[in-house]
Amino acid sequence: MTTIYLIRHAEAEGNLYRIAQGQHESSLTDRGRRQVQALERRFAGVRIDAVYASDLYRTRATAAAIYKPKGLPLHPAPGLREICVGDWEGRTWGDIARQYPQEMADFGSRMDRWSIPGAETPAQVLARVRGTVEDIARENPGRTLALFSHGYAIRLLLANLQGISLRDTGEKSPTGDNTAVSLLEWDGENLRVVWQNDNSHLKTPEYLAGEKPARAKRAFALEPGLWFRVPPLSRWEEARPIDAPLTLEGCLGEEPVGLLQLDPDSGRVLLVYVRPEFRRRGFGVQLMGQAVLRVREQGGETLSALFSGGEGEEFLRDCGFAPKGGEDRTLWEKYIGFDPDI
């Protein structure tokens, strides 16, 4: 009997910034890195003979929780990749929900009829992922394996193995949390699900010590977020906008929520502002996410901001910034590059 731990990647930027990741590359968040540590603690005493991961960065970085401490090689498996979402790749879920409401609803609830230009169909992803898992199992008879994949791909596979149709997957097979672990067995001919989507390693005192008690959990994986446009600055007088190379307005539906001003070439965040009635709902993080993506597009690996004190310190720390020192104003920085060792 071959034992397979099937594991979803840790929280990545797309999860936090509400961006359709698909096969678009993104890094892990600070929370994601703590989830990797929790996963390492969970598997510290578990024998693993081989580790496979989708070749996308977020799965390879998560797989480091097992293959690095156990001194194993990592086997890249492109067949374990997330669904390619075609024209949606890299776009915010808020933008997608606004322009494609029916298609977005089908993506989460009616996989049997979802299809957009340039994307894989869920049926194609299911065939790809199941074939890859079965091939890996055949190559490793009697061994214990760890396979790292993605939320949508894992959801499709688990549903299929339990006889749930594509039509009913949305209703009967939920998406597991980041780093959720499922256990499969392969008897040489068939795969079966022993248990699924266990996240007990994220409920330990060690992990919870790093969580903010008041931080709300998203209701579901595809919860819409903001979409962005260049605004007329006349309606943002309260934010005191300045002349900046790039100004973006974040909107929820048609309602302006916040403002980002940025110099993408230098990586300097000049302004992040969220209207008072929309604060503490994750929108400031989504604004900062646009800064991360746009600076990275320019080849930058560091995001910086000048901060002179006040309530913004908690926000900057939540976004992964750390102070670099200074006299009247303090320079805060955040590394946004990819780990070259992953």
Side-chain angles (χ1 to χ4, degrees), residues 19 56 81 136 162 178 196 222 232 240 252 266 276 293 319 323:
I19 292 167
L56 297 177
R81 277 188 171 203
I136 292 172
Q162 295 173 92
N178 292 110
Q196 67 183 60
L222 300 183
R240 297 182 182 178
L252 186 66
S266 68
L293 297 179
C319 290

Side-chain angles (χ1 to χ4, degrees), residues 72-91:
L72 296 170
L74 176 64
H75 301 283
L80 296 177
R81 277 188 171 203
E82 183 61 291
I83 183 172
C84 172
V85 292
D87 293 349
W88 290 6
E89 298 254 336
R91 296 174 65 176

Side-chain angles (χ1 to χ4, degrees), residues 54-67:
S54 148
D55 59 342
L56 297 177
Y57 180 88
R58 57 190 184 272
T59 39
R60 291 186 285 115
T62 307
I66 295 179
Y67 81 85

Side-chain angles (χ1 to χ4, degrees), residues 22 32 40 45 78 83 102 136 142 170 173 176 183 186 193 233 269 278 288 320:
E40 180 178 344
I83 183 172
Q102 185 57 57
I136 292 172
S173 183
L183 183 64
W186 168 260
V193 179
L233 292 182
V269 177
F278 292 103
M288 193 66 80

Side-chain angles (χ1 to χ4, degrees), residues 53-130:
S54 148
D55 59 342
L56 297 177
Y57 180 88
R58 57 190 184 272
T59 39
R60 291 186 285 115
T62 307
I66 295 179
Y67 81 85
K68 284 193 172 184
K70 296 184 183 300
L72 296 170
L74 176 64
H75 301 283
L80 296 177
R81 277 188 171 203
E82 183 61 291
I83 183 172
C84 172
V85 292
D87 293 349
W88 290 6
E89 298 254 336
R91 296 174 65 176
T92 69
W93 287 116
D95 181 31
I96 294 167
R98 179 171 173 265
Q99 295 196 35
Y100 306 97
Q102 185 57 57
E103 289 86 348
M104 182 165 170
D106 288 345
F107 186 68
S109 62
R110 284 295 302 272
M111 286 79 157
D112 58 310
R113 67 187 183 195
W114 182 81
S115 177
I116 65 165
E120 294 177 285
T121 66
Q124 289 171 329
V125 177
L126 172 59
R128 165 170 61 78
V129 174
R130 180 162 183 168

Side-chain angles (χ1 to χ4, degrees), residues 23-211:
Q23 297 183 4
H24 182 83
E25 286 287 27
S26 63
S27 188
L28 299 185
T29 65
D30 289 342
R31 174 186 274 180
R33 284 184 278 273
R34 289 193 298 101
Q35 291 172 343
V36 170
Q37 294 171 353
L39 203 60
E40 180 178 344
R41 289 191 292 267
R42 174 176 184 152
F43 280 91
V46 178
R47 192 198 81 188
I48 299 292
D49 298 309
V51 180
Y52 293 77
S54 148
D55 59 342
L56 297 177
Y57 180 88
R58 57 190 184 272
T59 39
R60 291 186 285 115
T62 307
I66 295 179
Y67 81 85
K68 284 193 172 184
K70 296 184 183 300
L72 296 170
L74 176 64
H75 301 283
L80 296 177
R81 277 188 171 203
E82 183 61 291
I83 183 172
C84 172
V85 292
D87 293 349
W88 290 6
E89 298 254 336
R91 296 174 65 176
T92 69
W93 287 116
D95 181 31
I96 294 167
R98 179 171 173 265
Q99 295 196 35
Y100 306 97
Q102 185 57 57
E103 289 86 348
M104 182 165 170
D106 288 345
F107 186 68
S109 62
R110 284 295 302 272
M111 286 79 157
D112 58 310
R113 67 187 183 195
W114 182 81
S115 177
I116 65 165
E120 294 177 285
T121 66
Q124 289 171 329
V125 177
L126 172 59
R128 165 170 61 78
V129 174
R130 180 162 183 168
T132 299
V133 174
E134 290 178 345
D135 287 346
I136 292 172
R138 288 190 190 96
E139 294 167 3
N140 293 275
R143 305 180 85 194
T144 299
L145 313 175
L147 275 57
F148 290 81
S149 187
H150 303 259
Y152 202 82
I154 292 173
R155 184 183 187 188
L156 293 171
L157 177 61
L158 293 176
N160 178 259
L161 293 178
Q162 295 173 92
I164 301 171
S165 69
L166 276 178
R167 187 190 189 285
D168 295 333
T169 294
E171 178 184 351
K172 297 181 178 180
S173 183
T175 301
D177 290 337
N178 292 110
T179 68
V181 181
S182 299
L183 183 64
L184 311 180
E185 288 183 342
W186 168 260
D187 63 7
E189 294 184 1
N190 298 295
L191 284 168
R192 78 176 185 95
V193 179
V194 180
W195 43 260
Q196 67 183 60
N197 294 333
D198 181 81
N199 67 347
S200 56
H201 54 286
L202 302 183
K203 299 177 181 179
T204 65
E206 295 93 334
Y207 177 78
L208 293 175
E211 287 286 273

Side-chain angles (χ1 to χ4, degrees), residues 240-302:
R240 297 182 182 178
I242 60 176
D243 183 26
L246 177 65
T247 298
L248 292 176
E249 178 181 66
C251 299
L252 186 66
E254 300 304 316
E255 182 74 19
V257 166
L259 196 68
L260 167 72
Q261 292 197 292
L262 174 72
D263 181 353
D265 291 331
S266 68
R268 179 64 54 85
V269 177
L270 305 172
L271 173 70
V272 175
Y273 176 80
V274 177
R275 287 189 159 139
E277 62 269 32
F278 292 103
R279 291 175 185 171
R280 299 193 179 278
R281 293 168 59 182
F283 297 133
V285 172
Q286 292 179 45
L287 288 164
M288 193 66 80
Q290 290 297 304
V292 171
L293 297 179
R294 290 167 189 271
V295 170
R296 189 180 287 149
E297 285 174 359
Q298 300 288 74
E301 294 188 337
T302 303

